[in-house]
């Protein structure tokens, strides 16, 4: 189990990261200080608990490349239970705006984590991500696969009968890998068909400044 990507966490409190959250979630400039204050409360939990894990797997007759056996990885990312407790505390105190800010900040952090995973693979293994497959988003990757995938990855993340994960700020996906840099996709949104998604990353998106 590896700690969450330091190059992403190191920028979590920076103006560049907060600016990206404002743009993606349509916050006005006047909310930046409040977002930064929530981010500051979140950071100690993230530094202690956020992690990711990977495990090699294979797909047959499902791969983008059409190969009979294609190298893939099951990947889990989690920001930890501390964020769940923080949001619950906000909600008990009636601080719904702060709770939503925590949701937005966590969502942006995971989005940047997907890019960080791609950079990690390129630097450390020579592989490039050709596609990302999220369970429940495609017919070939139903949610019913989630318990099995989690069991093979980590005991730190679980799911209930409705396939809701704990900690809540967790994500599981299958990364299709290639050594061909030309067919590798740099961003998680490159192979997604939901072009109207509010979380969609632009072609020139990059890690927070």
């Amino acid at each position: 189990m590896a700690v969450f990507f330091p190059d992403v966490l190191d920028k979590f409190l920076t103006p560049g990261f907060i600016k990206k959250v404002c743009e993606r979630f349509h916050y006005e400039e006047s909310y930046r200080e409040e977002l930064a204050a929530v981010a500051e409360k979140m950071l100690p939990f993230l530094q202690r608990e956020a992690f990711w894990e990977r495990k090699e797997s294979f797909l047959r007759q499902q791969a983008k490349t059409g190969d009979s056996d294609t190298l893939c990885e099951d990947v889990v990312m989690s920001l930890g239970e501390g964020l769940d407790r923080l949001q619950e505390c906000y909600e008990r105190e009636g601080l719904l705006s702060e709770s939503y800010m925590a949701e937005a900040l966590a969502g942006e952090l995971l989005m940047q984590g997907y890019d960080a995973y791609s950079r990690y693979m390129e630097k450390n293994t020579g592989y490039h991500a050709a596609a990302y497959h999220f369970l429940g988003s495609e017919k070939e990757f139903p949610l019913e696969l989630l318990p099995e995938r989690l069991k093979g990855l980590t005991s730190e993340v679980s799911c209930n009968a409705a396939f809701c994960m704990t900690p809540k700020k967790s994500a599981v996906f299958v990364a299709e890998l290639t050594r061909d840099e030309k067919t590798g996709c740099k961003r998680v949104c490159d192979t997604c068909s939901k072009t109207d998604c509010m979380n969609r990353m632009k072609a020139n998106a990059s890690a927070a400044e």
Side-chain angles (χ1 to χ4, degrees), residues 1-207:
M1 185 173 70
V3 297
F4 199 78
F5 306 98
D7 60 328
V8 177
L9 283 185
D10 287 348
K11 298 173 182 177
F12 186 60
L13 300 183
T14 63
F17 188 95
I18 301 300
K19 179 181 178 182
K20 286 183 179 293
V21 173
C22 287
E23 292 173 349
R24 190 182 302 281
F25 294 91
H26 308 292
Y27 279 105
E28 296 179 1
E29 180 77 18
S30 58
Y31 285 95
R32 286 200 182 192
E33 288 189 10
E34 292 180 55
L35 280 162
V38 172
E40 192 168 354
K41 287 185 177 293
M42 293 170 63
L43 186 58
F45 296 109
L46 296 169
Q47 291 172 328
R48 289 195 302 267
E49 301 179 11
F51 74 93
W52 72 288
E53 187 62 89
R54 50 187 277 254
K55 180 182 178 182
E56 184 178 296
S57 62
F58 287 90
L59 293 179
R60 292 180 180 274
Q61 298 179 346
Q62 294 176 342
K64 179 181 175 182
T65 58
D67 296 338
S68 57
D69 288 313
T70 297
L71 180 63
C72 296
E73 286 195 334
D74 292 341
V75 184
V76 60
M77 296 181 186
S78 178
L79 303 184
E81 292 186 349
L83 292 193
D84 294 345
R85 296 192 298 269
L86 178 62
Q87 278 192 291
E88 290 168 2
C89 180
Y90 279 142
E91 290 165 7
R92 283 197 304 269
E93 296 177 4
L95 302 174
L96 300 185
S97 178
E98 286 80 355
S99 179
Y100 182 74
M101 287 180 179
E103 189 78 22
L105 288 158
E108 178 63 24
L109 196 62
L110 284 173
M111 288 295 289
Q112 293 196 17
Y114 304 139
D115 276 357
Y117 164 78
S118 179
R119 294 193 301 272
Y120 173 91
M121 294 300 291
E122 291 173 13
K123 179 180 179 180
N124 293 280
T125 71
Y127 279 100
H128 306 271
Y132 297 79
H133 305 284
F134 288 86
L135 303 185
S137 65
E138 304 172 50
K139 181 180 178 180
E140 294 82 1
F141 298 91
L143 267 177
E144 288 75 12
L145 294 177
L146 183 57
E148 178 186 350
R149 290 294 202 254
L150 283 174
K151 184 178 180 180
L153 282 166
T154 179
S155 61
E156 299 297 317
V157 180
S158 61
C159 71
N160 60 21
F163 307 112
C164 296
M165 285 186 284
T166 301
K168 295 179 181 178
K169 306 302 181 291
S170 302
V172 175
F173 61 91
V174 178
E176 223 175 284
L177 303 177
T178 178
R179 287 198 180 275
D180 184 356
E181 185 175 1
K182 294 181 180 179
T183 61
C185 69
K186 303 298 183 183
R187 300 173 310 279
V188 68
C189 297
D190 284 355
T191 54
C192 178
S193 61
K194 296 182 179 180
T195 57
D196 59 343
C197 175
M198 67 175 292
N199 291 320
R200 193 171 184 82
M201 303 182 82
K202 297 179 181 178
N204 62 352
S206 61

